[in-house]
Amino acid sequence: MINASQPSRVDYGRVFSQAIDRLHAEGRYRVFIDILRNKGAFPNARCFAGHNGPKPITVWCSNDYLAMGQHPAVIAAMEEALHDVGAGSGGTRNIGGNTHYHVDLEAELADLHGKEAALLFTSGYVSNEATLATLAKLLPGCVVFSDELNHASMIAGIRNAGCEKRLFRHNDLQHLEELLAAEDPSVPKLIAFESVYSMEGDIAPIAAICDLADRYNALTYLDEVHAVGMYGPRGGGISERDGVADRLTIIEGTLGKAFGVMGGYIAASRTIIDVIRSYAPGFIFTTSLSPVLVAGVLASVRHLKASSVERDGQQAAARLKAMLAEAGLPVMPGETHIVPVMVGDPVRAKRISDILLAEYGVYVQPINYPTVPRGTERLRFTPGPAHTPEMMRELVGALAEIWGRLEMKAAA
């Protein structure tokens, strides 16, 4: 017999179902497209979603910006490592997972950024979260000054540090200085920001931020994940291009975008690297990257240090932006390889993405909240060296047709 005074039992399934229903209602439920890339033929791929067998598509939203994940030297290095040492690393860096590949890659990355040392992580997210959380915890009373458009991994690291945080308006030097000036001069300060903001396609004023850091005795933490491999004479990022890498306390990067494989890292002084290595749970307690992956990255970093051919292909982005603007489509301004087209509505962004894939064989994912603020939903294109002018014409023609079909506003 049920006692009426007893509290009702929690319907866990209902809670979880309602959470998913909310995403559907808001038009921002994420659908993962089932594809396989064609080795040696990127950006061509095969899509398995909703078809009887694979359908040929063109990928326009990959973060493998330079197609280094397809490069013969990278693939050969991974195959050689696989047959030399096997598949896995064997454990954490402290227990069996510290291979000569890891040591070599950290030396290459330190050299890339002109720093004394570097440290590998399993992803760019982990490198940001683990480093920022550890660094701020070790500085008593630390205040972190964070650009309002910083990546979720940086936000998570700052939150997990449990320290005070001050948000400054995106790339707003005056606002940043106001916040810095308002703090006690004796308080430890850390300015965290990105070089290339991946959803806006714009660039931070790194040198000017370093000037403020010098003036107010603050450390600097620069996320270069969308810039390493892409900018600078050796692929060291915007900080190398602008000649300011030496002024930054910590430079963080990824190995899964322009370098084409997987992983994350930081480069800094030998002491800071030792501190993070010794205190960060996200580094200490996780299995290290497979040496097969590290060997591939090592080949990629070395290649892009010496070759500018792939970086020269960035002009594809400028060409696509010009074509989109000429067609009256709302392409967002910017000087980077990222080409965002503003939609402003999550349902329509998903609808356009679906039509492009189903009718035109064009794959681009809609970017919705919380990745971008509500009302700024967009399509984010990342043209690279392998995207031909003909592919661009087909893309622009498809977008123009869909914009007209859905009776959407053209660019002002």
Side-chain angles (χ1 to χ4, degrees):
M1 184 175 180
I2 298 175
N3 188 337
S5 64
Q6 289 181 341
S8 59
R9 295 168 63 87
V10 177
D11 186 345
Y12 296 105
R14 182 167 174 266
V15 173
F16 298 143
S17 294
Q18 287 177 337
I20 296 298
D21 289 343
R22 287 195 297 272
L23 296 179
H24 282 291
E26 295 171 15
R28 58 187 186 94
Y29 179 77
R30 296 169 191 259
V31 177
F32 299 161
I33 305 300
D34 184 359
I35 70 169
L36 287 174
R37 300 199 295 177
N38 300 333
K39 184 174 79 71
F42 186 79
N44 296 310
R46 293 154 282 166
C47 178
F48 293 82
H51 309 293
N52 294 320
K55 172 186 174 181
I57 62 169
T58 303
V59 178
W60 279 99
C61 56
S62 174
N63 284 342
D64 187 358
Y65 295 135
L66 301 178
M68 288 304 295
Q70 307 278 310
H71 197 282
V74 173
I75 294 170
M78 295 178 75
E79 289 177 339
E80 181 181 350
L82 179 65
H83 294 292
D84 182 27
V85 301
S89 70
T92 65
R93 290 288 291 277
N94 186 52
I95 306 175
N98 188 58
T99 75
H100 192 61
Y101 289 106
H102 293 79
V103 174
D104 275 353
L105 179 54
E106 286 175 341
E108 287 285 350
L109 292 168
D111 173 75
L112 178 65
H113 295 292
K115 298 298 183 184
E116 291 180 343
L119 189 66
L120 288 175
F121 293 84
T122 50
S123 73
Y125 188 104
V126 175
S127 56
N128 269 335
E129 191 282 327
T131 303
L132 285 167
T134 303
L135 200 65
K137 280 180 182 177
L138 289 172
L139 294 168
C142 181
V143 177
V144 178
F145 299 81
S146 176
D147 188 290
E148 66 179 346
L149 294 188
N150 276 345
H151 190 265
S153 57
M154 301 174 76
I155 296 169
I158 296 165
R159 181 185 298 118
N160 291 341
C163 63
E164 291 289 320
K165 179 179 73 172
R166 307 285 184 263
L167 278 183
F168 62 92
R169 290 186 292 271
H170 179 52
N171 282 346
D172 189 329
L173 295 170
Q174 181 178 344
H175 189 215
L176 173 58
E177 181 163 20
E178 289 171 0
L179 294 173
L180 287 165
E183 292 297 331
D184 184 336
S186 65
V187 168
K189 303 174 185 66
L190 173 65
I191 305 172
F193 62 109
E194 301 181 36
S195 58
V196 172
Y197 286 84
S198 65
M199 295 303 144
E200 309 296 318
D202 59 354
I203 294 175
I206 301 175
I209 290 175
C210 288
D211 290 342
L212 291 177
D214 292 343
R215 190 175 307 153
Y216 292 96
N217 190 29
L219 302 178
T220 49
Y221 183 99
L222 177 66
D223 177 315
E224 285 260 44
V225 295
H226 292 278
V228 290
M230 299 294 290
Y231 302 91
R234 299 193 309 158
I238 299 296
S239 58
E240 183 193 28
R241 186 199 72 175
D242 293 354
V244 293
D246 62 309
R247 301 185 63 189
L248 294 153
T249 311
I250 299 175
I251 296 174
E252 184 267 349
T254 184
L255 307 170
K257 292 183 170 62
F259 291 128
V261 189
M262 180 181 177
Y265 67 91
I266 58 170
S269 70
R270 191 167 284 107
T271 301
I272 287 178
I273 293 299
D274 200 16
V275 163
I276 303 303
R277 183 189 73 88
S278 302
Y279 281 90
F283 172 80
I284 297 170
F285 298 108
T286 190
T287 299
S288 66
L289 284 169
S290 161
V292 176
L293 296 172
V294 178
V297 176
L298 191 57
S300 182
V301 171
R302 285 172 173 168
H303 177 84
L304 289 175
K305 276 184 174 181
S307 172
S308 62
V309 172
E310 292 79 11
R311 280 187 289 278
D312 291 343
Q314 289 181 52
Q315 61 186 322
R319 187 183 304 120
L320 179 60
K321 288 175 185 175
M323 294 170 68
L324 289 165
E326 186 177 347
L329 292 162
V331 59
M332 298 171 64
E335 56 180 300
T336 70
H337 58 286
I338 294 164
V339 183
V341 174
M342 182 60 68
V343 178
D345 176 80
V347 175
R348 283 197 161 181
K350 180 67 167 60
R351 176 67 177 143
I352 296 167
S353 173
D354 289 344
I355 295 173
L356 283 169
L357 184 63
E359 299 182 20
Y360 291 95
V362 167
Y363 174 43
V364 61
Q365 280 283 21
I367 306 296
N368 296 328
Y369 177 85
T371 307
V372 295
R374 297 180 194 274
T376 68
E377 293 81 7
R378 66 202 66 178
L379 302 175
R380 175 183 176 272
F381 299 91
T382 53
H387 287 94
T388 66
E390 179 59 27
M391 289 176 177
M392 293 184 193
R393 284 191 290 272
E394 291 174 357
L395 171 64
V396 173
L399 285 169
E401 186 278 321
I402 297 168
W403 239 255
R405 186 195 313 184
L406 300 182
E407 298 180 345
M408 294 176 62
K409 291 181 180 179

